[in-house]
Amino acid sequence: RRKKQKSTQEIVTAILSGNMTALSQAITLVESKNPKHLEQANAIIKQCLPHANQSVRIGITGVPGVGKSTFIEAFGTYLTGIEKKVAVLAVDPSSSITKGSILGDKTRMEDLVKNENAFIRPSPSGTSLGGVARKTRETIILCEAAGFDTIIIETVGVGQSETAVHSMVDFFLLLKLAGAGDELQGIKRGIIEMADMIAINKADGENLKSAKLAKVEFNRALHLYPIKASEWQPKVITCSAIKKEGMEAVYTIISDYLKLTVDNSYFYKKRNEQNKFWLLQTIEDRLKSEFFNRINIKKELEKQLNLVENNETTPFVAAEYLLGIKD
Ligand code: GDP
């Protein structure tokens, strides 16, 4: 016999009392492709929403190997040590392709995994960054309703995923490594502009000297950027995730940022802007997927693409034709 499905109300009540199993179940519903599950997920989120929002959302990015997992293990453990409840989520649009996420690697978060004040969830799999990002955003709400006051969202520092994560967090932390004096070369300008803090990791052993040098260089470079709308001057520090050094400094800087932006209201303004952005983004995603999933569109799109390829129609005429198809 099949186990009786939990009702929406039962799941919500359990989430609000901090039950991790219920939280995981709800996230699984959010990540499901089954329309019935999604309907229930929406109902759960709606009821959780009034209990959400009471957290700090921190985005962490950096290239593979920079030490993100190790850093989150150290920082998450530090946070739980000062009575915080930490949820770690990941945004990895490639997880569906590579089968097995390179993020949220629990083997490198050994202590945090066992910590009862921490919750770690790997990236949802999805075909598009938009889909993965939206699910993560809904998961944030569920985690907050379950009482997590610090939400860490990890993403890999390649491609567009930083922008998606930036649009769902309050504070954005970029992890870097000290190189051979060419720190500022080959760095993506956009990412630097998004960063509220740069932490130069692996500042230990032989790396220590070059890390300190890199800190000076990044600091100098950051001062060349115009003042941000938050009025926050991004900070640069060095840390050693593996030695768990620099975690208090990271926490202090985030606290300073929060104080400034709550005082000048930027914190709330940014969250409002993010909510509006996500409303529009959700509509856009939904319209697009509904359109492209229509049987007739699938058939006709193929034909029109061929016509365009053979110069037998223009892209604009073809688009008008497809948009005009009634099922
Ligand atoms: P990720 O791919 O960004 O998640 O990086 P990982 O956390 O998996 O770390 C990549 C490698 O760097 C691992 O072998 C870690 O042990 C090592 N590592 C991470 N942080 C530090 C650090 O602070 N110092 C040193 N020396 N090694 C580190």
Side-chain angles (χ1 to χ4, degrees):
R1 267 182 52 198
R2 279 184 57 209
K3 225 173 86 193
K4 188 176 163 285
Q5 288 283 310
K6 275 215 182 88
S7 77
T8 298
Q9 198 50 55
E10 281 169 328
I11 296 177
V12 170
T13 308
I15 290 175
L16 294 181
S17 71
N19 182 312
M20 302 259 209
T21 311
L23 175 61
S24 291
Q25 282 173 342
I27 296 173
T28 303
L29 291 171
V30 163
E31 293 175 352
S32 169
K33 291 192 168 65
N34 178 333
K36 280 235 157 57
H37 291 168
L38 292 179
E39 205 176 295
Q40 191 179 15
N42 281 337
I44 292 168
I45 290 165
K46 196 173 170 195
Q47 291 193 50
C48 283
L49 210 46
H51 307 275
N53 247 344
Q54 313 275 7
S55 77
V56 181
R57 303 166 184 167
I58 302 164
I60 296 183
T61 191
V63 296
V66 73
K68 292 182 296 299
S69 309
T70 314
F71 180 90
I72 292 169
E73 161 91 343
F75 188 51
T77 305
Y78 171 82
L79 291 172
T80 58
I82 54 168
E83 309 290 309
K84 302 282 179 196
K85 286 192 76 182
V86 183
V88 179
L89 311 176
V91 170
D92 179 6
S94 67
S95 60
S96 60
I97 304 158
T98 55
K99 297 277 182 215
S101 172
I102 48 166
L103 297 170
D105 185 346
K106 292 187 177 181
T107 59
R108 270 183 230 112
M109 299 185 193
E110 275 183 330
D111 289 338
L112 210 55
V113 160
K114 288 179 271 174
N115 192 318
E116 61 175 22
N117 286 315
F119 176 81
I120 302 175
R121 182 90 183 184
S123 181
S125 63
T127 44
S128 71
L129 173 59
V132 171
R134 192 180 64 248
K135 287 169 189 186
T136 304
R137 201 154 198 284
E138 293 177 344
T139 298
I140 293 175
I141 292 167
L142 297 174
C143 290
E144 289 176 351
F148 289 94
D149 52 31
T150 310
I151 314 286
I152 292 176
I153 303 166
E154 177 188 12
T155 195
V156 69
V158 288
Q160 289 301 304
S161 58
E162 300 99 341
T163 314
V165 170
H166 183 251
S167 71
M168 59 178 95
V169 297
D170 306 311
F171 188 91
F172 202 62
L173 166 60
L174 172 61
L175 291 182
K176 293 289 299 176
L177 293 176
D182 58 350
E183 280 77 15
L184 305 177
Q185 308 289 315
I187 219 181
K188 280 184 275 172
R189 192 187 151 94
I191 298 181
I192 290 278
E193 281 172 347
M194 281 190 268
D196 297 303
M197 163 164 44
I198 296 174
I200 297 150
N201 191 34
K202 307 196 187 182
D204 46 46
E206 287 178 356
N207 281 327
L208 192 56
K209 207 171 150 208
S210 58
K212 284 185 175 162
L213 221 62
K215 176 180 161 177
V216 174
E217 283 195 33
F218 275 117
N219 242 326
R220 193 178 301 142
L222 282 176
H223 275 90
L224 299 176
Y225 287 104
I227 304 273
K228 293 179 154 207
S230 57
E231 298 173 28
W232 171 255
Q233 173 64 51
K235 301 288 184 291
V236 186
I237 62 151
T238 58
C239 67
S240 170
I242 212 154
K243 293 184 153 184
K244 298 187 166 30
E245 285 170 9
M247 299 305 127
E248 189 174 357
V250 171
Y251 178 71
T252 304
I253 289 172
I254 295 175
S255 304
D256 287 349
Y257 174 88
L258 290 173
K259 177 153 184 12
L260 175 80
T261 56
V262 165
D263 281 353
N264 70 14
S265 295
Y266 179 79
F267 181 88
Y268 307 104
K269 206 176 126 203
K270 185 174 179 182
R271 282 207 173 177
N272 270 330
E273 291 302 321
Q274 289 176 334
N275 281 335
K276 287 192 269 181
F277 170 78
W278 282 98
L279 165 66
L280 297 172
Q281 195 69 32
T282 305
I283 292 174
E284 208 174 286
D285 288 351
R286 177 78 66 85
L287 286 176
K288 260 196 217 163
S289 70
E290 276 173 5
F291 180 78
F292 287 111
N293 283 328
R294 282 160 55 188
I295 300 288
N296 285 339
I297 294 298
K298 280 186 180 164
K299 269 191 277 172
E300 286 299 318
L301 179 60
E302 204 59 40
K303 286 186 200 159
Q304 294 296 320
L305 284 170
N306 272 326
L307 292 174
V308 169
E309 197 176 346
N310 298 326
N311 283 322
E312 286 168 42
T313 184
T314 73
F316 314 104
V317 170
E320 284 304 327
Y321 169 72
L322 289 165
L323 289 165
I325 291 177
K326 306 260 182 289
D327 279 328

